[in-house]
């Protein structure tokens, strides 16, 4: 901003650092060590100099060095606000070299890591010429700040220093023929300062500190106050108080700087975030919890930048964080772990600032009041509000907003309205955000519980007064009024207020979608489908109404929960027609509707649309919910009861809307030309649907989702064969050939495809399955008590496949051990469910599979005298295993051929959503 540019001009006019590094003399163009006299000035110019009210701090000693004539101090703007005199203006693209154009193309595609890699492969002379492009350097760091690419920005700095791109001679700094007797080489620290700024935006305090160490230790340069302020700001995202306090002390002790109001404001932000993370009665988030993640990012940064760190450097830094400096500033050792304790420590720094004669500006006091509000200390927040006015610092709209928010946090609704009335008495302070807070404050009044109608009436009167006064009331303020009625338990009145908002003149502007979204969400929670349909009808009547994602997701949520499939997809159709791309919440509701009504093809198409439009997030939990929804939608089609109900309940309107939605989704997917498109077309085979489900499942796992055993059970059920469906589950839509499958353990005995075994092994590697297989010298034990029915079947087949490979590799000379199968004993509830036709039991599934493949087993009753259910034990002898794996036909003499026990459980099993946590 303007203040920053003015500060840099003052710095460049006063002097630069000059030191010896890498065999040449370097000097910094951006030091603020010599400007201690102006440390106390505020950002808005209202503050007093440092000398007012106290002794001015002694400036750090500085050296005399030459300053180039074309420095920021010498540049001025034209009267018309055009480009600077003496500057080159915008860097035209036709002046770029081919290498610069190539790198700019990568930067504009946000491929910053590729840009650094390509740049590092250029010859040294080409790299030096490439770094001469100011436009490339500015564009790269702008994009890095925008996307939070701090590692790439640091690597860019390292590559620049490898070819001395930041080094300038005294003649080049002067901008003309140098008259200096010595040919000094100066180091320009502006790129390094911007890199620290990128780290601050990304919240990467460790890399910000690493950049500062690189400048001070490797380059031998003195750090300026801008760098320290940015590094402290980098600590604010995670509330790393220890690091911020250490940087604060280091700026005074090691570099002789005097902290200004901006640095104190940055330090307050760190304390404020730490207070927010702190629980009411315990410690907040500690830095050690993030140590491993930051260490991994640091190693990747070192590999990318080519910078090697000494072993144990991070441990030494953490140890230094625990140490405390003596004599300068407040002590930061033994930081408290409560909100009040952290606030007290932050106020010690404020007292130290006042002792140095620094007067805060409105930004500092806003941050101070906000910090007190986060600590639930409203008395101190109020005292600082009056203190700033006594010092001549006038509060602005943000000050009142922060103060009212602190009142609402502490439940002081009366005081919030009192400060709102105070803000109304000042010109230019009231805005729409303050109006929204005033509406919310009525919910904290003492009369809200005893007289909700009166409280709502008072809020309505205030709302109309503000409207008459000409205050610009936006959608958030209107939504706050609707939300107030809902919080007071007046749902019908909320819908009436929504109608009044629709009728209120808007000056030709569109109706705001926020109050509609709040009302739709309330209808979804109360199950008021009539109210939700009325809101949808109002949206349809207003052709220029532009709904937002919150409104769309609330309506879809309401109708999908109520089982109204047609209206759910009508909302989707309305969103797409008006150019609104649904977000992840809308897609979650739509996938839920597909799961409830057994629409796997449409669910896969919606997933493809979400993936191409960027609605798929990196949230592992959300990815798991979507995967479960797609699985539900497909497995519904394998249930006899569901298929029978579909034939009787499906009407013409439902089929028409589903066909229209499917065509509309296909049209939206057409521009992507098949990219990320899982399925194409309408009528798909079982193999194509299962292939799409596998892609959804693997996408979820790649995002960090760890499926449960029940989700794995559903996934493995998708891998079963048609024979399994017809003979075992008796689904009428699936029919197998006249010839039964060959019972070969290697091929899944005709029940499962080989993909099921790969999925089972992947789940085992992810730690999804509990440890269930163990062996000794005499036996192999499998514990099925924590597994589901289909997972148990696949687990047994995986073990038999392994034994089959051993048998084949030994050419029939392998000696097997006995199999001990520990099965769960069914509870009375489970027995009743089986009788009524519900979920099958693990013990019957495993025993039926053993009989099907011709393995005799022996049941052994176990003693349960200790009161703990030990389960049931089945033993398979080695002789029986040899017969089975050698394909000896005599093994079926004691069992029925292809006689899988289909009477062990009802074939019309239902999928209960509670079982799979959808």
């Amino acid at each position: 901003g303007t203040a920053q540019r003015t500060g840099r001009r003052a710095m460049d006019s006063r002097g630069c650092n000059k030191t010896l590094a890498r065999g040449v003399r370097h000097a910094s163009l951006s030091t603020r060590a010599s400007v201690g006299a102006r440390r106390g000035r505020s950002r808005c110019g209202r503050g007093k100099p440092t000398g007012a009210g106290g002794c001015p701090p002694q400036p750090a000693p500085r050296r005399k060095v030459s300053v180039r004539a074309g420095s920021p101090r010498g540049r001025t703007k034209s009267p018309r606000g055009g480009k600077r005199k003496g500057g080159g203006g915008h860097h035209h693209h036709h002046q770029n070299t081919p290498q610069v154009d190539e790198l700019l193309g990568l930067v504009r595609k946000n491929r910053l890591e590729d840009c650094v890699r390509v740049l590092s492969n250029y010859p040294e002379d080409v790299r030096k010429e490439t770094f001469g492009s100011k436009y490339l350097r500015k564009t790269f760091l702008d994009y890095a700040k925008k996307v939070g690419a701090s590692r790439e920005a640091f690597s860019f700095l390292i590559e620049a220093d490898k070819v001395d791109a930041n080094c300038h001679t005294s003649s080049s700094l002067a901008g003309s023929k140098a008259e200096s007797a010595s040919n000094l080489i100066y180091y320009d620290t502006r790129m390094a300062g911007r890199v620290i700024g990128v780290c601050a935006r990304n919240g990467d305090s460790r890399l910000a500190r690493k950049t500062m160490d690189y400048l001070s230790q490797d380059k031998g340069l003195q750090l300026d106050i801008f760098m320290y302020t940015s590094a402290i700001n980098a600590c604010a995202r995670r509330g790393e108080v220890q690091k911020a306090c250490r940087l604060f002390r280091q700026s005074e002790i090691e570099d002789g700087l005097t902290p200004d109001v901006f640095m104190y404001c940055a330090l307050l932000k760190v304390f404020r975030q730490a207070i927010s993370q702190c629980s009411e009665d315990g410690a907040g988030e500690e830095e050690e919890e993030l140590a491993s993640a930051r260490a991994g990012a640091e190693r990747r940064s070192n590999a990318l930048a080519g910078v090697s760190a000494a072993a144990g450097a991070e441990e030494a830094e953490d140890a230094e964080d625990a140490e405390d400096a003596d004599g300068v500033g407040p002590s930061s050792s033994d930081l408290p772990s409560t909100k009040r304790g952290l606030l007290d420590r932050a106020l010690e720094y404020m007292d130290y600032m006042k002792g140095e004669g620094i007067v805060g500006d409105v930004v500092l006091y806003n941050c101070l009041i906000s910090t007190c509000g986060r600590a639930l200390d409203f008395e101190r927040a109020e005292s600082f509000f009056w203190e700033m006015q006594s010092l001549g610092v006038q509060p602005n709209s943000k000050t009142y907003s922060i103060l009212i928010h602190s009142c609402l946090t502490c439940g002081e609704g009366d005081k919030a309205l009192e400060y709102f009335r105070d803000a109304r008495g000042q010109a230019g302070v009231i805005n729409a955000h303050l109006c929204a807070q005033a509406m919310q404050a009525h919910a904290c009044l003492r009369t809200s519980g005893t007289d909700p109608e009166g409280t709502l009436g008072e809020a309505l009167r205030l709302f109309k007064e503000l409207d008459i006064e000409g205050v610009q009331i936006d959608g958030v303020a209107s939504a706050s009024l609707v939300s107030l009625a809902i919080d007071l338990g007046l749902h019908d009145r909320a819908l009436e207020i929504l109608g009044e908002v629709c009728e209120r003149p808007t000056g030709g502007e569109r109706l705001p979608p926020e109050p509609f979204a709040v009302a739709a969400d309330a209808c979804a929670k109360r199950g008021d489908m009539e109210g939700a349909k009325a809101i949808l009808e109002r949206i349809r009547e207003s052709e220029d109404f532009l709904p937002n994602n919150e409104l769309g997701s609330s309506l879809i949520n309401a109708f999908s929960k109520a089982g109204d499939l047609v209206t759910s997809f009508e909302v989707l159709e309305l969103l797409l027609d008006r150019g609104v791309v649904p977000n992840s919440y809308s897609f979650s509701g739509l996938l839920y509707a597909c799961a409830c009504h057994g629409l796997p093809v449409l669910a896969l198409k919606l997933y493809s649309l979400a993936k191409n439009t960027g609605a798929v997030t990196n949230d592992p939990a959300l990815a798991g919910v979507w995967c479960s929804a797609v699985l539900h939608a497909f497995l519904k089609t394998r249930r006899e009861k569901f298929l029978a109900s579909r034939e009787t309940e499906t009407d013409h309107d439902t089929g028409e809307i589903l066909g229209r939605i499917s065509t509309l989704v296909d049209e939206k997917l057409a521009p992507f030309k098949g990219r990320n498109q899982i399925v194409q077309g309408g009528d798909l085979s079982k193999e194509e649907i299962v292939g799409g489900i596998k892609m959804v499942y693997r996408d979820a796992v790649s995002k960090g989702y760890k499926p449960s055993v029940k989700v794995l059970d559903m996934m493995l059920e998708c891998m079963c064969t048609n024979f399994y469906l017809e003979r075992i589950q008796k689904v009428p839509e699936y029919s197998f050939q006249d010839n039964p499958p060959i019972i070969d353990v290697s091929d899944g005995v005709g029940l499962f495809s080989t993909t099921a075994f790969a999925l089972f092994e992947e789940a085992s590697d992810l730690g999804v399955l509990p440890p269930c297989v163990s062996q000794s010298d005499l036996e192999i034990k499998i514990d099925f008590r924590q597994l589901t029915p289909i997972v148990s079947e696949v687990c047994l087949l995986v073990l038999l496949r392994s034994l089959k490979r051993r048998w084949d590799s030994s050419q029939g000379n392998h000696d097997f051990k006995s199999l001990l199968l520990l099965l769960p004993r069914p509870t009375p509830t489970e027995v009743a469910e089986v009788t009524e036709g519900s979920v099958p039991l693990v013990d019957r599934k495993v025993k039926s599979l053993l009989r099907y493949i011709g393995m005799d087993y022996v049941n052994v009753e176990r003693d349960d005298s200790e009161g703990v259910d030990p389960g049931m034990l089945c033993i398979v002898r080695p002789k029986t295993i040899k017969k089975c794996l050698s394909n000896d036909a005599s093994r079926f003499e004691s069992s029925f051929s292809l006689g899988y026990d289909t009477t062990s459980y009802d074939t019309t099993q239902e999928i209960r959503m509670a079982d799979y946590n959808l």
Side-chain angles (χ1 to χ4, degrees):
T2 305
Q4 187 175 6
R5 289 196 297 270
T6 305
R8 290 191 182 277
R9 292 170 192 159
M11 290 186 298
D12 292 340
S13 65
R14 289 181 177 271
C16 308
N17 291 324
K18 182 175 62 178
T19 183
L20 185 65
R22 295 200 302 168
V24 295
R25 294 179 65 85
H26 294 270
S28 169
L29 293 177
S30 57
T31 178
R32 289 184 64 183
S34 59
V35 288
R38 58 180 297 276
R39 286 289 178 251
R41 293 200 179 275
S42 67
R43 186 175 303 173
C44 300
R46 296 195 184 106
K48 298 179 181 180
T50 307
C55 298
Q58 297 296 327
R62 61 179 187 270
R63 304 184 179 114
K64 292 183 178 181
V65 295
S66 59
V67 181
R68 57 176 176 172
S71 65
R73 179 175 178 269
R75 297 177 181 173
T76 58
K77 291 187 176 181
S78 62
R80 295 186 179 182
K83 63 183 181 181
R84 298 169 178 168
K85 295 181 180 180
H90 190 274
H91 195 89
H92 298 288
H93 294 287
H94 66 269
Q95 298 176 351
N96 293 336
T97 62
Q99 292 81 8
V100 172
D101 287 333
E102 179 186 8
L103 296 177
L104 286 173
L106 294 174
V107 170
R108 294 189 182 103
K109 295 178 182 178
N110 286 333
R111 297 171 56 186
L112 303 182
E113 186 175 352
D114 294 339
C115 177
V116 175
R117 186 178 64 253
V118 171
L119 179 62
S120 63
N121 293 329
Y122 288 157
E124 184 175 354
D125 55 341
V126 177
R127 273 185 290 162
K128 190 172 184 63
E129 181 184 5
T130 302
F131 275 109
S133 172
K134 297 180 181 178
Y135 183 67
L136 172 64
R137 290 183 291 179
K138 179 181 181 302
T139 304
F140 184 94
L141 293 176
D142 285 344
Y143 271 81
K145 188 173 184 179
K146 180 180 178 181
V147 301
S150 52
R151 294 191 297 112
E152 289 77 6
F154 181 74
S155 304
F156 191 74
L157 172 65
I158 298 300
E159 293 296 333
D161 285 344
K162 286 181 180 179
V163 294
D164 296 332
N166 290 318
C167 296
H168 307 279
T169 61
S170 56
S171 59
S172 65
L173 291 175
S176 60
K177 294 183 178 180
E179 299 179 357
S180 176
S182 60
N183 187 21
L184 296 179
I185 296 179
Y186 294 82
Y187 185 91
D188 190 348
T189 60
R190 285 177 292 184
M191 179 186 288
R194 291 205 62 189
V195 171
I196 299 176
V198 173
C199 297
R201 172 65 65 88
N202 194 31
D204 194 344
S205 61
R206 189 175 292 274
L207 193 54
R209 177 64 183 272
K210 185 182 182 67
T211 307
M212 296 173 68
D213 291 342
Y214 169 73
L215 293 175
S216 61
Q217 298 175 9
D218 295 1
K219 295 295 182 184
L221 302 174
Q222 181 181 353
L223 305 175
D224 60 38
I225 200 148
F226 287 116
M227 297 180 182
Y228 276 107
T229 304
S230 297
I232 292 175
N233 275 321
C235 302
R237 174 171 293 185
R238 298 188 178 97
E240 298 167 312
V241 178
Q242 285 276 22
K243 285 189 175 183
C245 294
R246 184 175 181 273
L247 288 169
F248 183 89
R249 297 194 311 274
Q250 180 182 338
S251 66
E252 294 184 302
I253 299 174
E254 298 184 9
D255 291 303
L257 302 176
T258 302
D260 59 3
V261 67
F262 304 109
M263 184 179 289
Y264 282 105
C265 188
L267 189 62
L268 271 178
K269 293 178 183 177
V270 180
F271 275 99
R272 182 177 64 186
Q273 182 64 21
I275 290 172
S276 300
Q277 295 173 351
C278 186
S279 60
E280 188 64 30
D281 54 355
E285 181 180 359
E286 298 294 335
E287 296 179 19
E288 288 75 15
E289 297 178 0
L290 301 168
S292 59
R294 290 200 300 267
E298 184 72 9
R299 286 192 295 270
R300 292 191 297 269
S301 175
N302 292 340
L304 182 64
V307 178
S308 60
E314 295 180 3
E315 289 77 2
E317 179 182 342
D318 294 336
E320 290 176 356
D321 287 343
E323 295 177 359
D324 190 29
D326 297 329
V328 180
S331 171
S332 65
S333 60
D334 299 331
L335 282 174
S337 58
T338 60
K339 292 179 181 289
R340 187 59 60 90
L342 287 172
L343 178 61
D344 292 339
R345 185 59 55 86
L347 295 183
E348 290 180 10
Y349 281 91
M350 295 299 102
D351 295 338
Y352 179 69
M353 180 192 74
K354 295 175 183 178
E356 293 293 317
I358 301 176
V359 179
D361 59 358
V362 65
V363 178
L364 178 72
Y365 274 101
N366 287 348
C367 189
L368 189 56
I369 294 172
S370 176
T371 305
C372 296
R374 298 282 180 91
L376 303 179
D377 193 342
F378 178 70
E379 294 182 0
R380 286 182 176 177
E382 199 173 24
S383 66
F384 285 118
F385 175 74
W386 298 114
E387 177 185 313
M388 65 182 293
Q389 297 182 71
S390 65
L391 296 176
V393 181
Q394 293 300 321
N396 55 14
S397 299
K398 192 168 186 179
T399 308
Y400 280 101
S401 176
I402 294 171
L403 189 61
I404 293 175
H405 180 74
S406 300
C407 295
L408 297 180
T409 304
C410 300
E412 298 286 344
D414 296 312
K415 287 211 176 240
L417 291 176
E418 180 182 343
Y419 283 112
F420 178 76
R421 287 190 289 269
D422 185 18
R424 288 180 68 184
Q426 302 187 27
V429 175
I430 287 294
N431 55 21
H433 183 67
L434 287 174
C435 296
Q437 289 181 312
M439 298 300 108
Q440 298 169 7
H442 286 81
C444 300
L445 296 177
R446 296 182 180 90
T447 59
S448 60
T450 58
D451 186 14
E453 286 284 354
T455 304
L456 181 60
E458 184 180 346
L460 278 171
R461 284 193 296 272
L462 178 60
F463 185 85
K464 293 177 181 178
E465 289 176 4
L466 295 172
D467 195 11
I468 294 174
E469 292 176 4
V471 178
Q472 187 68 29
I473 298 179
D474 60 0
V476 177
S478 302
S480 299
L481 185 59
V482 176
S483 178
L484 173 64
I486 296 171
D487 293 340
L488 295 175
L490 305 174
H491 179 74
D492 295 334
R493 291 282 288 130
L495 297 180
E496 293 177 6
I497 294 173
L498 181 64
E500 296 176 6
V501 170
C502 296
E503 297 173 359
R504 188 171 62 90
T506 59
E509 298 180 357
R510 291 192 181 103
L511 290 173
E514 291 84 4
F516 290 88
V518 173
D521 183 64
C523 292
K525 292 178 180 178
R526 290 175 56 92
D528 184 7
M529 294 301 100
E530 295 299 328
K533 288 182 179 179
I535 294 173
L536 179 60
E537 191 61 30
R538 285 181 180 175
I539 297 173
R540 286 173 174 167
E541 292 174 355
S542 180
E543 296 180 356
D544 62 340
F545 184 86
L546 186 62
N548 57 7
N549 281 319
E550 289 75 14
L551 174 56
S553 60
S554 297
L555 288 175
I556 291 174
N557 182 33
F559 295 123
S560 62
K561 279 187 176 181
D564 193 343
L565 177 70
V566 174
T567 313
S568 299
F569 284 103
E570 285 179 353
V571 177
L572 173 64
E573 187 178 18
L574 179 64
L575 294 177
L576 295 177
D577 287 342
R578 301 199 178 182
V580 179
V581 179
N583 61 0
S584 58
Y585 297 102
S586 299
F587 279 110
S588 297
L590 293 170
L591 290 174
Y592 181 85
C594 293
C596 293
H597 293 83
L599 302 171
V601 177
L602 186 56
L604 292 174
K605 287 185 178 181
L606 289 172
Y607 182 83
S608 300
L609 182 62
K611 199 170 183 179
N612 282 292
T613 55
V616 178
T617 65
N618 291 324
D619 184 10
L622 182 62
V625 170
W626 288 12
C627 177
S628 299
V630 175
L631 285 169
H632 260 290
F634 176 65
L635 294 179
K636 276 268 189 179
T637 63
R638 294 188 166 193
R639 299 299 183 262
E640 187 176 358
K641 283 185 178 180
F642 174 76
L643 294 175
S645 63
R646 171 182 284 183
E647 294 178 359
T648 57
E649 295 178 1
T650 302
D651 54 7
H652 176 71
D653 294 338
T654 304
E656 182 181 355
I657 185 64
L658 292 179
R660 195 164 66 243
I661 288 295
S662 180
T663 303
L664 183 59
V665 173
D666 288 338
E667 292 176 357
K668 295 296 180 181
L669 288 172
F672 299 102
K673 299 179 180 179
R675 189 182 65 214
N676 293 327
Q677 192 162 348
I678 298 178
V679 294
Q680 296 181 358
D683 297 331
L684 301 178
S685 64
K686 172 208 166 186
E687 289 74 17
E688 292 174 329
I689 297 176
V690 171
I693 292 174
K694 284 192 293 186
M695 292 182 62
V696 176
Y697 175 81
R698 295 189 187 278
D699 284 347
V701 172
S702 65
K703 295 180 186 300
Y705 170 64
K706 184 178 178 181
S708 63
V709 178
K710 294 181 178 179
V711 173
L712 178 62
D713 186 273
M714 290 194 293
M715 194 65 205
L716 294 177
E717 187 178 351
C718 296
M719 303 296 117
C720 64
T721 62
N722 288 351
F723 171 74
Y724 186 94
L725 289 173
E726 190 203 11
R727 282 299 181 89
I728 310 306
Q729 296 190 188
K730 294 186 177 179
V731 179
E733 284 191 356
Y734 296 91
S735 61
F736 87 106
Q737 306 299 326
D738 296 335
N739 298 325
I742 301 175
I743 302 178
D744 188 358
V745 174
S746 302
D747 296 332
V749 297
L751 301 179
F752 294 93
S753 64
T754 54
T755 310
F757 307 126
L759 291 173
F760 182 88
E761 293 174 357
E762 291 174 7
S764 179
D765 295 337
L766 290 173
V768 175
L769 300 172
C772 54
V773 179
S774 60
Q775 61 177 331
S776 62
D777 295 338
L778 301 177
E779 59 192 18
I780 300 175
K781 179 181 177 182
I782 309 178
D783 190 352
F784 293 104
R785 290 180 295 178
Q786 300 182 41
L787 303 182
T788 53
I790 296 181
V791 174
S792 301
E793 288 181 301
V794 177
C795 179
L796 181 57
L797 289 175
V798 167
L799 178 63
L800 295 177
R801 279 163 52 90
S802 175
L803 297 178
K804 174 67 174 175
R805 286 193 295 268
R806 294 183 185 178
W807 176 264
D808 294 339
S809 62
S810 65
Q811 297 181 355
N813 295 322
H814 184 74
D815 294 330
F816 293 105
K817 303 175 183 178
S818 298
L819 290 182
L820 271 64
L821 310 180
L822 186 58
L823 303 174
R825 192 185 303 274
T827 62
T829 304
E830 291 175 333
V831 173
E833 288 180 349
V834 171
T835 305
E836 296 173 1
S838 186
V839 181
L841 300 181
V842 173
D843 64 316
R844 298 193 178 186
K845 292 282 280 185
V846 172
K847 292 177 181 178
S848 298
L849 178 59
L850 291 174
R851 287 195 293 267
Y852 170 69
I853 61 179
M855 275 193 175
D856 291 333
Y857 58 88
V858 179
N859 282 327
V860 178
E861 291 294 334
R862 305 188 69 192
D863 184 19
D864 56 351
S865 57
E866 298 180 0
V868 180
D869 181 14
M872 299 180 294
L873 185 63
C874 287
I875 301 177
V876 181
R877 302 298 182 188
K879 184 178 180 181
T880 305
I881 299 175
K882 287 184 179 180
K883 278 188 177 183
C884 177
L885 300 183
S886 62
N887 294 325
D888 188 354
S890 63
R891 70 183 190 273
F892 293 113
E893 294 177 357
S894 59
S895 301
F896 54 93
S897 180
L898 298 181
Y900 201 99
D901 187 6
T902 59
T903 62
S904 60
Y905 60 91
D906 194 290
T907 59
T908 59
Q909 50 184 303
E910 289 289 334
I911 299 180
R912 297 177 301 181
M913 293 191 176
D915 292 338
Y916 299 104
N917 298 322
L918 179 59

